């Protein structure tokens, strides 16, 4: 009887002591015949991939292709998953437009649709798991076409995107707190809202969005962190003044200290486009050689190179996977063949450089970033070679 790749990997996982994780069958990657998984020794022993019914992370060691399936795609949000009947659904556009509109899903789907491959991460994604990231092919209508249909007025400056989800939020003034029920909301300045790459998506990987992913409609901003991609979008309000909602103006901000003329200047900025990042997703062994496989994420700026370093050795060039490299906004994979690995514990780390010369920083170089969001630091992994 033929042993399947899946069975081989299951054996490998058990041998590596990973069986205790209770990783479901569908999480197992397709390893080649004779390839075995090398254990990461810096991962917590019990990873709970579904810490809450409405939260899910991915096990990066099991990435088995460029597109994350709908039942593996990571998910997180603030007010749970609203249930929306796609047949009754309407997208409202109000404010500084010539014709306020209310569009059904069928009406949106009659417009000229487009596809974009986009992999993103939550801006809170970080070590040790790096599991708040996924990649999909999204189908929808360009946001610009929908806004043109409503007719954006000349004085429109700010575009506010509301989800159907909502919750009570504290409104505080000088110690007085009132609770006000509010929708999840995010905003964009005019230039970004009208940029050609943004879409209102109803499908991922060729299937309707699931409730997790924002069914029936979601904003997709290729190259931006998760938070900007408003799920269950139900209302776009166009205005002149800046929108200062909680998830726009108070949460999802990064505080960085910058040395200017010998003094630290503290700059607080909104989470927008993704920072240049790579991480090692798994190490495998085939015969005498080891293979280091990882993922690159960024805002769509062309990638120049990825390097891998073992212990205190020199940086060595990794190979960018030619199949994923052309996907401007998608996950890009890299591999590095590690020859002559000796038994014992080793550190493996990756570093990506983009075409503008930007280099993924070390954790030390990010020391002046005082909030945990936007952590794109190089992530040294510990592995045990037997
Ligand atoms: N309506 C709505 N959209 C939302 C959120 C939310 O709470 N409500 N959370 C955001 C955050 S913080 C992230 S990381 C992504 C997660 O998208 P996913 O669940 O498809 O992975 O959704 C974003 N869109
Ligand atoms: Mo997020």
């Amino acid at each position: 009887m033929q042993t399947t790749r899946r069975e081989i990997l299951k054996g490998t996982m058990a041998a590596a002591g990973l069986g205790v994780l209770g990783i479901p069958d569908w999480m197992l990657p397709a390893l080649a015949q004779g390839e075995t998984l090398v254990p990461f020794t810096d991962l917590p022993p019990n990873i709970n991939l579904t810490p809450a019914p409405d939260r899910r992370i991915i096990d990066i060691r099991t990435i088995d292709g460029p597109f994350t399936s709908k039942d593996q795609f990571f998910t997180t949000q603030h007010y749970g998953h609203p249930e929306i009947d796609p047949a009754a659904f309407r997208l409202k556009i109000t404010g500084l437009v010539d014709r306020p509109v209310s569009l059904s899903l069928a009406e949106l789907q009659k417009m000229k649709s487009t596809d974009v491959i986009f992999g993103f991460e939550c801006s809170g994604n970080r070590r040790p798991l790096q599991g708040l990231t996924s990649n999909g092919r999204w189908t929808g209508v360009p946001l610009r076409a929908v806004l043109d249909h409503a007719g954006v007025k000349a004085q429109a400056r700010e575009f506010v995107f509301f989800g159907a989800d909502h919750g009570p939020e504290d409104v505080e003034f000088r110690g007085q707190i009132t609770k006000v029920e509010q929708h999840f909301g995010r905003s964009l300045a005019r230039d970004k809202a009208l940029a050609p790459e943004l879409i209102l998506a109803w499908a991922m990987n060729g299937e309707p969005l699931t409730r997790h992913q924002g069914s029936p409609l979601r904003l997709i901003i290729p190259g931006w962190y998760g938070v900007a991609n408003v799920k269950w979008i139900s209302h776009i309000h166009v205005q002149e003044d800046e929108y200062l909602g909680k998830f726009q103006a108070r949460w999802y901000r990064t505080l960085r200290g910058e040395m200017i003329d010998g003094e630290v200047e503290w700059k607080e900025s909104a989470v927008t486009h993704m920072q240049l990042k790579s991480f090692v997703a798994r190490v495998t062994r085939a015969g005498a050689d080891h293979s280091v496989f990882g993922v690159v994420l960024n805002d769509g700026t062309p990638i120049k190179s990825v390097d891998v370093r073992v212990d205190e050795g020199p940086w060595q060039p990794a190979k960018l996977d030619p199949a994923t490299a052309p996907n401007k906004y998608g996950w890009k994979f890299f591999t590095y063949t590690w020859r002559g690995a000796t038994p014992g514990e080793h550190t493996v780390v990756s570093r990506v450089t983009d075409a503008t010369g930007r280099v993924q920083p070390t954790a030390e170089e990010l020391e002046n970033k005082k909030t945990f969001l936007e952590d794109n630091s190089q992530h040294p992994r510990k592995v045990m070679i037997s």
Side-chain angles (χ1 to χ4, degrees):
M1 200 187 83
Q2 279 280 118
T3 315
T4 66
R5 288 174 162 203
R6 225 152 248 264
E7 282 160 1
I8 291 169
L9 189 82
K10 258 200 240 173
T12 307
M13 293 279 236
L18 299 173
V20 290
L21 299 183
I23 295 173
D25 236 18
W26 49 260
M27 293 298 288
L28 300 180
L31 291 193
Q33 287 277 351
E35 198 180 1
T36 56
L37 191 69
V38 173
F40 284 153
T41 50
D42 58 351
L43 267 187
N46 289 302
I47 305 171
N48 184 358
L49 297 175
T50 47
D54 64 347
R55 297 215 168 176
R56 182 167 60 209
I57 59 172
I58 63 162
D59 182 332
I60 56 168
R61 295 167 298 182
T62 66
I63 292 170
D64 65 355
F67 300 111
T68 316
S69 74
K70 64 178 184 201
D71 33 83
Q72 289 181 47
F73 208 95
F74 91 93
T75 190
T76 185
Q77 59 283 305
H78 296 277
Y79 303 127
H81 294 156
E83 189 151 18
I84 302 163
D85 174 6
F89 170 81
R90 290 286 180 284
L91 172 69
K92 273 190 306 182
I93 304 181
T94 59
L96 297 176
V97 289
D98 299 330
R99 295 166 295 276
V101 292
S102 167
L103 298 161
S104 68
L105 199 57
E107 285 169 314
L108 289 163
Q109 288 173 339
K110 266 192 233 127
M111 299 175 72
K112 193 174 177 318
S113 71
T114 183
D115 268 17
V116 63
I117 295 174
F118 171 39
F120 60 89
E121 62 174 351
C122 173
S123 49
N125 194 29
R126 60 196 191 280
R127 56 188 79 187
L129 297 175
Q130 303 286 7
L132 290 166
T133 179
S134 294
N135 189 52
R137 178 194 296 275
W138 307 87
T139 306
V141 57
L143 172 64
R144 164 130 212 180
V146 179
L147 290 172
D148 282 349
H149 177 73
V152 174
K153 289 193 189 288
Q155 71 270 36
R157 290 273 157 276
E158 184 90 340
F159 293 67
V160 193
F161 303 87
F162 292 108
D165 50 334
H166 51 84
E169 294 296 350
D170 288 351
V171 180
E172 196 245 285
F173 186 71
R174 290 192 174 165
Q176 290 261 33
I177 297 175
T178 336
K179 290 246 184 240
V180 179
E181 189 78 14
Q182 299 177 41
H183 284 110
F184 178 85
R186 291 278 306 180
S187 68
L188 294 174
R190 182 181 179 112
D191 282 359
K192 189 68 191 179
L194 296 177
E197 71 275 12
L198 280 68
I199 66 171
L200 292 168
W202 52 77
M204 187 187 81
N205 302 341
E207 287 182 78
L209 297 182
T210 63
R211 242 174 106 192
H212 281 71
Q213 293 149 11
S215 165
L217 196 69
R218 149 179 227 173
L219 177 62
I220 289 290
I221 310 182
W224 282 36
Y225 279 111
V227 65
N229 298 271
V230 177
K231 305 196 271 188
W232 313 288
I233 189 167
S234 62
H235 180 192
I236 302 173
H237 187 73
V238 184
Q239 61 191 46
E240 197 164 357
D241 296 335
E242 221 180 324
Y243 168 76
L244 297 176
K246 171 174 172 180
F247 298 106
Q248 182 64 29
R250 294 190 287 291
W251 283 42
Y252 297 102
R253 308 201 76 82
T254 302
L255 180 65
R256 287 188 188 84
E258 233 178 85
M259 285 302 274
I260 295 171
D261 291 339
E263 266 185 81
V264 182
E265 213 58 87
W266 291 98
K267 295 186 175 176
E268 203 168 352
S269 56
V271 166
T272 57
H273 69 95
M274 283 188 284
Q275 305 290 340
L276 181 64
K277 181 171 188 174
S278 73
F279 58 83
V280 171
R282 71 173 163 267
V283 175
T284 53
R285 172 181 207 145
D289 286 339
H290 288 80
S291 175
V292 177
F293 166 83
V295 180
V296 170
L297 276 160
N298 83 333
D299 61 5
T301 306
I303 298 301
K304 180 164 162 260
S305 56
V306 182
D307 300 292
V308 167
R309 184 185 190 193
V310 177
D311 300 325
E312 297 308 305
W315 286 104
Q316 303 278 0
K319 188 174 182 289
L320 267 173
D321 165 22
T324 53
N327 299 336
K328 181 173 180 187
Y329 298 111
W331 270 0
K332 286 169 249 313
F333 294 154
F334 66 87
T335 51
Y336 167 72
T337 306
W338 174 12
R339 298 211 159 84
T342 53
E345 195 173 54
H346 295 278
T347 303
V348 183
V349 62
S350 66
R351 175 185 80 178
V352 57
T353 303
D354 75 15
T356 69
R358 208 181 278 126
V359 182
Q360 183 182 1
T362 61
E364 294 69 43
E365 285 164 346
L366 283 190
E367 240 167 40
N368 265 353
K369 186 175 72 60
K370 296 299 178 194
T371 42
F372 70 80
L373 300 180
E374 300 188 70
D375 183 354
N376 66 324
S377 61
Q378 295 169 24
H379 180 172
R381 277 268 175 228
K382 294 237 182 288
V383 290
M384 184 59 79
I385 302 293
S386 53

